[in-house]
Amino acid sequence: MAKKTYDLLFKLLLIGDSGVGKTCVLFRFSDDAFNTTFISTIGIDFKIKTVELQGKKIKLQIWDTAGQERFHTITTSYYRGAMGIMLVYDITTAKSFENISKWLRNIDEHANEDVERMLLGNKCDMEDKRVVPKAKGEQLVGGRRGEAVMIAKEHGIRFFETSAKANINIEKAFLTLAEDILRKTPVKEPNSENVDISSGSGVTGWKSKCCS
């Protein structure tokens, strides 16, 4: 059996409306690349990146979900095993921010109770087209059981404004989420960490991205 090259496996999930830049955020982090010609994610896709935190090698398995409603059944099935979820909206699209409350409800309904959550306001390089003030992301996003919830401070959900294009806060966001998960991960004996559910080759039939 091949020797494992990591100590822990963390499964992360990117959710949010279609077009907010989830795939670009993921590719900037995993490949340090930015491409404007991605087509919409079909179903679900993933990338792998190994990072070192607190002396441990952590394999991040990052799932990129489709934002379209027709893929809802496929994508919500991936919430349950996620250890960290990034909710992404586009600062130039008010609707994508308003829908964060819907995505939060999806997390409440489908994810584990102790999942780490993080809010990303993407495309912050497009300041001239901004319609969602940074203060809104830091404060009110609407939510659980019809009540407004303050997320950044009161509920412990971290918030970053990011830009995949300008490479602003992308690595910081992923590493911070991984650190938050690591902080509450119990120390385990070797070979007893989470099982890697993938073969490392993506999900057959659900992977449809292209770039020039």
Side-chain angles (χ1 to χ4, degrees), residues 65-83:
T65 65
Q68 297 99 323
E69 190 65 33
R70 68 181 184 274
F71 295 118
H72 179 77
T73 303
I74 293 172
T75 58
T76 52
S77 65
Y78 283 80
Y79 283 52
R80 180 62 60 188
M83 302 163 78

Side-chain angles (χ1 to χ4, degrees), residues 4 8 10 12 17 21 32-33 39 41 43 53 71-72 74 83 93 96 111 126 129 136 141 145 159 167 169 186 188:
K4 269 194 302 200
L8 295 166
F10 291 171
L12 310 180
D17 284 7
D32 194 21
I39 62 169
T41 303
L53 292 172
F71 295 118
H72 179 77
I74 293 172
M83 302 163 78
T93 307
S96 71
M126 300 173 68
K129 295 182 180 177
K136 275 196 171 184
V141 294
R145 299 184 190 90
F159 169 70
N167 197 11
N169 282 339
K188 298 178 180 179

Side-chain angles (χ1 to χ4, degrees), residues 14-137:
L14 286 164
I15 63 174
D17 284 7
S18 180
V20 297
K22 298 184 297 296
T23 300
C24 290
V25 165
L26 176 54
F27 270 74
R28 172 60 78 183
F29 177 64
S30 65
D31 299 359
D32 194 21
F34 179 78
N35 196 310
T36 58
T37 60
F38 288 123
I39 62 169
S40 292
T41 303
I42 307 300
I44 196 155
D45 190 10
F46 74 88
K47 281 281 197 177
I48 299 287
K49 182 163 180 171
T50 301
V51 299
E52 188 161 329
L53 292 172
Q54 299 177 25
K56 293 187 178 295
K57 284 192 175 180
I58 299 170
K59 182 177 181 180
L60 302 178
Q61 185 182 75
I62 310 162
W63 295 83
D64 176 19
T65 65
Q68 297 99 323
E69 190 65 33
R70 68 181 184 274
F71 295 118
H72 179 77
T73 303
I74 293 172
T75 58
T76 52
S77 65
Y78 283 80
Y79 283 52
R80 180 62 60 188
M83 302 163 78
I85 297 179
M86 287 179 161
L87 301 100
V88 187
Y89 69 91
D90 175 355
I91 70 158
T92 71
T93 307
K95 187 67 175 175
S96 71
F97 178 73
E98 293 163 8
N99 283 341
I100 288 295
S101 58
K102 176 193 77 173
W103 294 107
L104 280 168
R105 284 195 297 273
N106 284 344
I107 293 175
D108 288 342
E109 291 170 11
H110 302 289
N112 294 328
E113 283 186 14
D114 63 346
V115 68
E116 287 290 332
R117 295 175 290 176
M118 177 178 283
L119 180 66
L120 300 184
N122 195 38
K123 305 187 185 179
C124 70
D125 59 289
M126 300 173 68
E127 191 61 44
D128 57 328
K129 295 182 180 177
R130 176 191 290 273
V131 296
V132 182
K134 186 175 182 179
K136 275 196 171 184

Side-chain angles (χ1 to χ4, degrees), residues 21 23 38 66 97 114 149 151 156 169-170 174-175 183 195 199:
T23 300
F38 288 123
F97 178 73
D114 63 346
V149 292
I151 67 158
N169 282 339
I170 299 295
F174 278 99
L175 294 183
R183 195 172 296 118
V195 176
S199 62

